[in-house]
Amino acid sequence: MGLDQYAYSRPPRKRNSDNDIQIAEWRKHNRLQGWMQDLWESKGCPNEDKHGDDDDDDAEVLFNCVPLQLTEEDINSLEDAILNFEFPESNGFFWGSDSYFWTDENNEPHADNDYWYKESDLQFVKDARKALEKKHRIFYSCWY
């Protein structure tokens, strides 16, 4: 069990997930999750899923299994956060260790200007931009 994260593109004029193309996958990248959750909240929690009684004003709203559409502006902001080490410190019960301070496969600490997921994060930005050029919509989703 843990935090699983996905990004996918959806071709133009397609409304359902049958034609989605996965373009990224992460496991327990807690800082990316925190950044995406902040973005989701700034957009007014679209597609929110309340956990609890629907009539309960105190029902918890979680950013879990909720598709978040990313715009070109969002992708640009994400790239800035990646390059400037601006992901928020984030944690959750199944979210794993701090994704900035993991060591590499040789058990060596990462350099100050690097982190465990940096390469895959930048590849996602590149792939998302290519998909946006083809008029695809980009989505992020997580499950924990």
Side-chain angles (χ1 to χ4, degrees):
M1 189 121 202
L3 174 62
D4 294 310
Q5 302 147 277
Y6 309 92
Y8 53 93
S9 70
R10 184 169 294 160
R13 296 180 298 283
K14 302 295 181 185
R15 292 188 175 258
N16 62 35
S17 61
D18 293 343
N19 300 97
D20 289 351
I21 303 163
Q22 186 171 312
I23 56 177
E25 181 178 346
W26 301 268
R27 174 100 171 122
K28 296 186 178 184
H29 187 352
N30 52 20
R31 287 191 180 248
L32 176 66
Q33 178 68 11
W35 190 91
M36 291 292 184
Q37 183 165 324
D38 288 349
L39 178 63
W40 176 69
E41 290 171 358
S42 76
K43 291 182 177 208
C45 304
N47 306 312
E48 75 179 42
D49 184 19
K50 289 187 179 182
H51 296 269
D53 186 357
D54 288 341
D55 296 329
D56 183 1
D57 290 337
D58 295 328
E60 186 176 14
V61 177
L62 296 177
F63 180 55
N64 184 23
C65 300
V66 176
L68 173 63
Q69 186 170 352
L70 303 174
T71 64
E72 182 177 5
E73 181 180 316
D74 298 333
I75 298 298
N76 292 339
S77 295
L78 176 62
E79 182 180 44
D80 289 343
I82 294 165
L83 295 174
N84 295 310
F85 245 72
E86 295 175 344
F87 282 148
E89 186 173 344
S90 306
N91 56 54
F93 187 73
F94 297 111
W95 292 15
S97 301
D98 188 337
S99 47
Y100 272 176
F101 301 108
W102 284 15
T103 59
D104 66 16
E105 62 276 358
N106 297 318
N107 228 11
E108 297 291 327
H110 287 280
D112 289 341
N113 65 345
D114 205 0
Y115 64 95
W116 182 258
Y117 291 100
K118 187 174 183 181
E119 187 176 313
S120 62
D121 290 350
L122 290 172
Q123 184 63 50
F124 164 63
V125 167
K126 183 178 177 180
D127 293 343
R129 285 186 174 135
K130 285 180 185 177
L132 286 168
E133 287 174 6
K134 296 176 185 175
K135 306 297 184 208
H136 286 223
R137 289 168 289 155
I138 306 300
F139 294 89
Y140 171 88
S141 185
C142 66
W143 181 69
Y144 58 91

